[in-house]
Amino acid sequence: MEGIGFNEWRHVFKLDPDKELTDEELDAVCMSGTDAIMVGGSSGVTYENTVDLMSRIRRYEVPCVLEVSSLDAAVPGFDGYLVPMVLNTDKPEWLIGHHIEGIKEYGSFIPWDKTAAEGYIILNADATAAKLTEANTNLDAADVAARVRLAARLLKLPIVYLEYSGRFGDMELVKRAAAAAGGARVFYGGGIDSAEKARQAAEVVHTVVVGNIVYADLQKALATVAAVKENAAV
Ligand SMILES: CC(C)=CCC/C(C)=C/CC/C(C)=C/CC/C(C)=C/CC/C(C)=C/CC/C(C)=C/CC/C(C)=C/COP(=O)(O)OP(=O)(O)O
Ligand SMILES: O=P(O)(O)OC[C@@H](O)CO
Ligand SMILES: [Mg+2]
């Protein structure tokens, strides 16, 4: 197994340091049977709120990784670091720019054996991440599949992340995109607010990421774990 273990993950909860969870709610998330907790968000993520959330999750055995979205919040002590590289923006800072700055800033402190890139394709124009990165979300299935091949086959990125944050995606398009991913692990996230949607996503990708519903309806969020795990691995 590689350093972080993401090739074994079927279900992941993404927790936002900028949002509140009580100890009881966090306990339910960490004990849910999910394969990992990803800490991340596209706005309002600070060093302080990231340390705070990490140290609360650390009381549990579940693997906990940071999805690095801000240089100010590169907190040591996570089990791993996932670094988004946006493949559908014309703004190079969101593909490599912040990354180069980060490498210059943190240098030998970067735990490379626990760090992996995610080739991000952002497909919901209304998502904060789409607005921030000025992502070109006007892509058809062939446009998406070409970016997946670029990520997986040419750049050999270990993860391709099909990101619909805030909205459930087009599962036909996601299925076609995933089929182009070769050896890369395909993550899907966006709008999963029920066991049924979790099941649909689990049928077409390797790893299903569940975010906002944790804060909106925790019981529905928890039900996604079994729905994903009951599905045979893709
Ligand atoms: C020293 C040490 C411990 C280092 C660890 C960190 C590390 C490994 C650094 C290496 C250097 C490096 C490569 C740094 C990269 C820095 C960086 C800022 C890269 C840019 C990442 C990026 C493209 C961000 C854009 C936004 C984005 C795609 C975020 C991903 C997360 C996401 C989409 C969350 C959803 O957000 P949410 O708030 O839920 O959104 P909604 O409102 O839509 O719900
Ligand atoms: O918050 P939701 O819409 O579940 O999306 C999950 C994740 O892909 C966000 O980065
Ligand atoms: Mg969110």
Side-chain angles (χ1 to χ4, degrees):
M1 199 197 301
E2 43 55 57
I4 305 176
F6 53 76
N7 281 324
E8 321 303 321
W9 300 346
R10 279 289 278 155
H11 182 283
V12 173
F13 278 125
K14 188 180 288 193
L15 297 185
D16 189 336
D18 195 31
K19 292 183 180 164
E20 305 277 326
L21 279 182
T22 66
D23 286 345
E24 289 72 26
E25 289 166 338
L26 188 65
D27 183 76
V29 169
C30 293
M31 300 299 287
S32 63
T34 188
D35 296 308
I37 310 272
M38 199 187 286
V39 170
S42 46
S43 62
V45 177
T46 66
Y47 196 91
E48 288 71 29
N49 61 22
T50 303
V51 169
D52 180 61
L53 184 55
M54 181 189 74
S55 51
R56 291 174 70 205
I57 299 167
R58 273 263 157 268
R59 299 174 194 146
Y60 299 87
E61 281 184 12
V62 64
C64 177
V65 300
L66 178 65
E67 188 171 54
V68 186
S69 61
S70 158
L71 279 180
D72 298 334
V75 171
F78 281 89
D79 295 319
Y81 297 87
L82 298 179
V83 181
M85 303 177 74
V86 180
L87 302 178
N88 59 326
T89 176
D90 292 333
K91 300 284 168 189
E93 60 263 41
W94 299 111
L95 175 64
I96 56 167
H98 291 287
H99 314 71
I100 292 167
E101 287 308 309
I103 290 165
K104 284 165 73 179
E105 186 168 337
Y106 295 108
S108 58
F109 294 105
I110 298 171
W112 288 116
D113 56 327
K114 298 194 296 182
T115 297
E118 301 171 303
Y120 243 76
I121 304 171
I122 305 175
L123 294 162
N124 174 12
D126 297 327
T128 312
K131 292 179 184 153
L132 177 71
T133 64
E134 298 181 40
N136 171 16
T137 58
N138 193 16
L139 303 177
D140 63 20
D143 295 325
V144 175
R147 283 169 175 78
V148 170
R149 288 198 179 91
L150 173 88
R153 307 279 189 166
L154 186 60
L155 300 177
K156 304 226 175 342
L157 300 184
I159 297 169
V160 172
Y161 196 131
L162 301 168
E163 171 66 289
Y164 279 89
S165 182
R167 172 162 74 79
F168 193 59
D170 172 349
M171 287 300 116
E172 263 314 304
L173 182 148
V174 168
K175 185 178 181 178
R176 280 184 60 181
R185 188 83 182 167
V186 180
F187 285 26
Y188 168 85
I192 294 181
D193 57 7
S194 67
E196 172 55 22
K197 285 183 187 147
R199 189 189 60 70
Q200 287 179 38
E203 276 179 3
V204 293
V205 299
H206 299 122
T207 303
V208 176
V209 183
V210 176
N212 290 337
I213 192 65
V214 169
Y215 301 93
D217 187 331
L218 182 58
Q219 292 312 315
K220 285 188 178 155
L222 296 172
T224 65
V225 178
V228 169
K229 300 239 168 183
E230 279 159 13
N231 249 274
V234 172

